[in-house]
């Protein structure tokens, strides 16, 4: 190595297949790493989107639950002026 034997033409021609094999492996490893990094970025982006959508679904669900309470429905009926009243008797089933 110190005498410059590695840079000799005979050495290079003798080990050309090994050098090409190493160069190809380097390119494959670089490409693989680039592909993995892109996929990791996509996973992070999708996880963030999933968290946002879950939060939105939770807030819509809680809003719907609040609006479907009997007192809230009664207020909406009064505001609309539909003339409906809360039943005084509980519902019952008719049997044959």
């Amino acid at each position: 190595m110190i005498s410059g034997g590695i840079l000799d033409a005979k050495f290079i021609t003798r080990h050309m297949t090994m050098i090409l094999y190493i160069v190809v492996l380097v390119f494959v490893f670089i490409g693989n790493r680039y592909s993995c990094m892109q996929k990791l970025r996509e996973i992070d982006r999708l996880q963030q989107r999933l968290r946002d959508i879950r939060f939105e679904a939770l807030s819509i669900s809680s809003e719907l639950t609040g609006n479907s309470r009997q007192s809230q429905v009664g207020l909406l009926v009064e505001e609309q002026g539909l003339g409906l009243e809360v039943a005084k008797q509980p519902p019952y089933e008719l049997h044959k």
Side-chain angles (χ1 to χ4, degrees):
M1 288 183 77
I2 296 174
S3 65
I6 291 180
L7 300 176
D8 187 24
K10 288 180 190 178
F11 179 82
I12 292 177
T13 56
R14 204 170 348 139
H15 296 96
M16 185 60 86
T17 57
M18 184 60 77
I19 293 170
L20 287 175
Y21 179 70
I22 290 172
V23 169
V24 168
L25 280 178
V26 166
F27 281 121
V28 168
F29 287 145
I30 290 172
N32 188 29
R33 175 161 178 150
Y34 179 74
S35 174
C36 288
M37 293 299 288
Q38 281 185 329
K39 288 180 182 179
L40 285 174
R41 277 190 226 113
E42 180 72 11
I43 289 170
D44 288 341
R45 185 185 65 82
L46 290 174
Q47 284 178 341
Q48 180 62 37
R49 186 173 175 205
L50 180 63
R51 279 192 295 268
D52 293 344
I53 290 173
R54 280 184 180 165
F55 176 74
E56 184 179 345
L58 184 63
S59 64
I60 290 172
S61 174
S62 66
E63 182 180 333
L64 181 61
T65 302
N67 286 340
S68 64
R69 290 190 178 131
Q70 185 176 2
S71 60
Q72 195 69 14
V73 171
L75 291 173
L76 289 173
V77 166
E78 287 179 17
E79 287 178 5
Q80 298 290 326
L82 298 176
L84 300 174
E85 296 179 6
V86 178
K88 306 284 191 246
Q89 299 176 7
Y92 54 92
E93 291 183 23
L94 298 175
H95 296 283
K96 285 186 179 183

